[in-house]
Structure formats: structure tokens, C-alpha cells
Amino acid sequence: MSDETNETTGAGPERVIGTPPPVKSGALPTPGGGEAEVFKPGAELDERKAKKAERIVALCFLLAFAASVGFMVYFIGWSGRNGGMHGLERARESNLWLGGLMTLSFLAMGVGVTLWMRRLMTSVPIEQARYDMATDDDVRSSLAADIKQGALDSGLGKRPLLRRTLLLAAAPLGLAPLFLLRDLGPLPEKRLRHTYWAKAVAKAKAAGKPGVRLVVDSGPEASAPLKAADFNTPGGMITVLPEGIYDLGHDALTQIAKASTILINIEPDKIKPIKGQENWTVNGIIAYSKICTHVGCPAALYEQTTHHILCPCHQSTFDATDGAKVIFGPAARPLPQLPLAVDEEGYLIATGDFPEPIGPSYWERG
Ligand code: FES
């Protein structure tokens, strides 16, 4: 479409994406409304060398684009196969490839832009004096003129190869936030509502048992089922887990972290009955989640004279005799209690999961 036609119809000249509007000669507006003489950008460049530099810069941009695409392809292909991105080895592998490709993309882009400026743009000394903070109209006009001059000097209009490869290289970067969001992993949905106790109890009940046995989590008795008679001294506290949790393979650590439970022996007459949970203790043995309801540290300190459970991170204190209610500190709710019983052989068992989600309150209730 010719300029003549545009004048008639009032429409602008036909534009191609990535093409800046046409620039009038080399003249720039001045504050007085006139036009100032400017140098012809790139006039002093050796066009043969400039062409060579242009190709190198374009190659850099293409390399940046290829690395970005490689990043996306690896991310999508790798995270969807062989168990996704779980596990230490997989995390290391992904860090190496994703980090390497992203670095290559930024590096190639940076080298391209640097070469562009050094080899294809005019080197003119720029001076700037100190002014008052508020700029006057002259300075603003001068800035606008400098920007226009810079646009001319960059060759954006004159070198479509560079312009388009630069846009191509930059385009995948706009998608980066999507990958960062995807990297947060799937939504937890209902998984935070339950611990492995729920699954273990269901499995035990399916096998005709009244519940799952508690096993000691460390020490010489580690992973051995615990009899009520073996934990009969008031004042004691140990950490227990559901039987079978160590057989979960690569998922065991995650499940252990969520299912950790403290078992405390308190004189039975000291325990205040909680409505609906009156039968959840066995001769003064009571079980609470070990995960602090503030931000999830292990609430692993127990003071037997006061029956206080203390979280060392921010000093939340829970009353073990009163449903682990918060009596001090930033935690907002009690430690959830685990329903206990004994089986016919005298082993301590859990008859259900914690009645509410364990851990920090911001997980909320699903
Ligand atoms: S995590 Fe327990 S008090 Fe903060």
C-alpha cells in the first residue's frame, strides 16, 4: 500500500510484526519545533564486516532460541516420564539440564546483544551533566531525541534479520513464568488431609485386624511393634510410626515425616477427657501428631512434671493432659490426637487416622 493511498484513506502503512514505524530522514525534532542535523547511523561502518557481525549475532539469537526450546522440550518430556521429578537423583539430573539450557539461552542472548552494540552500532561519546531532579522541557525533548537516535543507530529498521531473530529468541522467555508455576508440582488436593496412618489402618482392617500396630521409630528397638506393657512408666515419651511404613521404598521418608507421632505415658487420672475421644488412650498412654501446628517443626520436647509438649522452633507449648491444647506460643490449634487401643496380643494399635490434618494450619482442611 503506497503512502499516497494512505493519505487518501487515512490508514497507516502496512506493518509487519516486529517492524518499527518508518523513520523520517535523519532529522530529529528540537524543542523549538525545528529539525536538528544528526549523523547517519552506521555510516562509518565497513558494510562487509557489518554483514559478518550481523550473521554472528543472528546465530547467537538462534542458539538462544534453540536452548529455550530445548529447555521446554526437556522439561515437558522428562517430567512426564519415569516417575516425574521426584527423588534426589532426578532432581540433580533436571537441575543440570534445565539449568544448563537456561544458562545457554541467556548467555547466547547476552553475547548477541553485546556483539550487536560493539560491532554494529556507532561509538559516540555520551556526556551527561548533573541537573536538578525535575527535568525541564528541553531535557525531555533531548531525551526523546536521544531515544530516536538510539533507535536509528541500533539498525532495528535497517536490519530485519537481527530484529526478527532477536524477537524469536526473546519469545520463549515470555513463557518462563508458566514453567516456574508448573515446577511447583501438582496441587496437594486431599493428600494433606490424611497421613499414612489412614492407609495402614484400612489395610489392617481389611485383613481382619482391629488396627495397625505402632512401631518404635529409632534406637535398638527401631521398627519393632510396641506392647502397652513395655511403655508403662509415666513420664516417658517416644516417637512411633505405623507398622509397614519402612517398606514404602522411595516414598517412605515423606510418609514418615507426616505420620510421626509422639507417644506419652501420663498418669491416667491426670488426663482430661475430650468429648468423643474418651476411649483414645490406653492406661494413660496417649498419642499426638509430632508435627507442630505452627509451621511444622517436630514438637519433640516433653516436660514430664508439667505434661507440656514444647516445640523448640518458636516455643509453642501444648498441654498433653488436655487434648494438646495450645497454652503458649504462636501455634493456632492443638496437636491432633491419634486413637489408640490394644490388640489381643497386647500390642498398641491405632484404630484410625488423626481426625484432622496434621501440621501447620495454613494447609487448612483441604
Ligand atoms: S513451628 Fe512450632 S512453634 Fe513454630
Side-chain angles (χ1 to χ4, degrees):
M1 190 178 290
S2 71
D3 287 351
E4 218 171 45
T5 312
N6 291 334
E7 273 169 29
T8 313
T9 60
E14 192 175 343
R15 293 274 308 280
V16 177
I17 291 177
T19 306
V23 182
K24 283 189 201 166
S25 68
L28 299 172
T30 63
E35 288 189 342
E37 188 70 22
V38 293
F39 64 86
K40 265 239 183 289
E44 82 286 12
L45 293 177
D46 175 339
E47 194 49 32
R48 197 179 57 81
K49 285 186 181 167
K51 274 282 167 208
K52 191 176 167 195
E54 184 176 353
R55 281 195 292 275
I56 294 173
V57 173
L59 266 180
C60 288
F61 290 157
L62 288 173
L63 180 62
F65 174 72
S68 297
V69 170
F71 176 94
M72 289 189 271
V73 169
Y74 182 85
F75 185 90
I76 294 164
W78 174 83
S79 65
R81 71 179 155 85
N82 297 332
M85 53 187 72
H86 298 296
L88 205 57
E89 285 305 315
R90 292 193 180 288
R92 280 196 189 126
E93 183 194 321
S94 81
N95 285 349
L96 179 69
W97 282 100
L98 295 178
L101 287 167
M102 184 56 85
T103 303
L104 183 61
S105 174
F106 281 119
L107 191 66
M109 187 93 120
V111 170
V113 170
T114 307
L115 285 177
W116 185 344
M117 285 191 295
R118 293 186 65 91
R119 299 279 172 84
L120 294 168
M121 291 176 71
T122 315
S123 298
V124 282
I126 297 174
E127 290 175 16
Q128 183 169 20
R130 288 176 184 271
Y131 300 108
D132 291 338
M133 290 297 281
T135 50
D136 55 29
D137 288 346
D138 286 353
V139 174
R140 289 179 199 197
S141 301
S142 164
L143 175 65
D146 285 347
I147 291 172
K148 281 195 175 181
Q149 181 65 60
L152 275 176
D153 192 22
S154 71
L156 268 176
K158 187 178 157 192
R159 301 185 189 279
L161 175 65
L162 292 189
R163 184 176 65 244
R164 287 173 186 149
T165 50
L166 174 61
L167 286 173
L168 185 70
L173 297 179
L175 299 175
L178 293 182
F179 286 88
L180 294 179
L181 280 178
R182 171 68 181 80
D183 216 18
L184 292 176
L187 290 173
E189 296 170 354
K190 301 279 182 197
R191 274 173 293 170
L192 299 182
R193 285 192 70 88
H194 301 290
T195 65
Y196 185 69
W197 287 106
K199 224 178 227 180
V201 169
K203 216 161 138 188
K205 287 188 175 171
K209 298 174 187 168
V212 64
R213 286 179 176 170
L214 278 53
V215 297
V216 181
D217 93 317
S218 60
E221 300 294 317
S223 73
L226 184 67
K227 283 190 168 177
D230 294 335
F231 189 63
N232 57 5
T233 312
M237 186 195 89
I238 56 173
T239 300
V240 292
L241 293 164
E243 191 174 37
I245 199 166
Y246 289 107
D247 304 329
L248 293 179
H250 82 279
D251 198 29
L253 278 181
T254 306
Q255 296 303 334
I256 287 171
K258 291 197 282 183
S260 279
T261 302
I262 47 175
L263 200 66
I264 301 173
N265 192 317
I266 303 171
E267 298 86 340
D269 57 318
K270 295 250 169 69
I271 296 178
K272 295 175 192 154
I274 304 234
K275 198 161 179 283
Q277 302 183 5
E278 296 87 351
N279 300 322
W280 285 18
T281 59
V282 175
N283 297 331
I285 300 172
I286 195 163
Y288 295 110
S289 166
K290 190 175 180 177
I291 315 301
C292 181
T293 51
H294 178 218
V295 289
C297 286
L301 302 176
Y302 177 60
E303 194 177 41
Q304 55 176 289
T305 50
T306 57
H307 308 297
H308 290 168
I309 302 163
L310 182 79
C311 175
C313 285
H314 313 99
Q315 285 73 53
S316 283
T317 308
F318 307 87
D319 185 352
T321 64
D322 193 12
K325 284 186 185 147
V326 182
I327 53 174
F328 180 78
R333 62 189 178 96
L335 299 170
Q337 187 178 344
L338 190 73
L340 295 182
V342 281
D343 64 15
E344 69 281 358
E345 292 177 52
Y347 286 100
L348 284 166
I349 57 170
T351 57
D353 194 8
F354 297 105
E356 58 182 294
I358 54 99
S361 298
Y362 54 71
W363 283 3
E364 290 306 338
R365 316 299 152 97

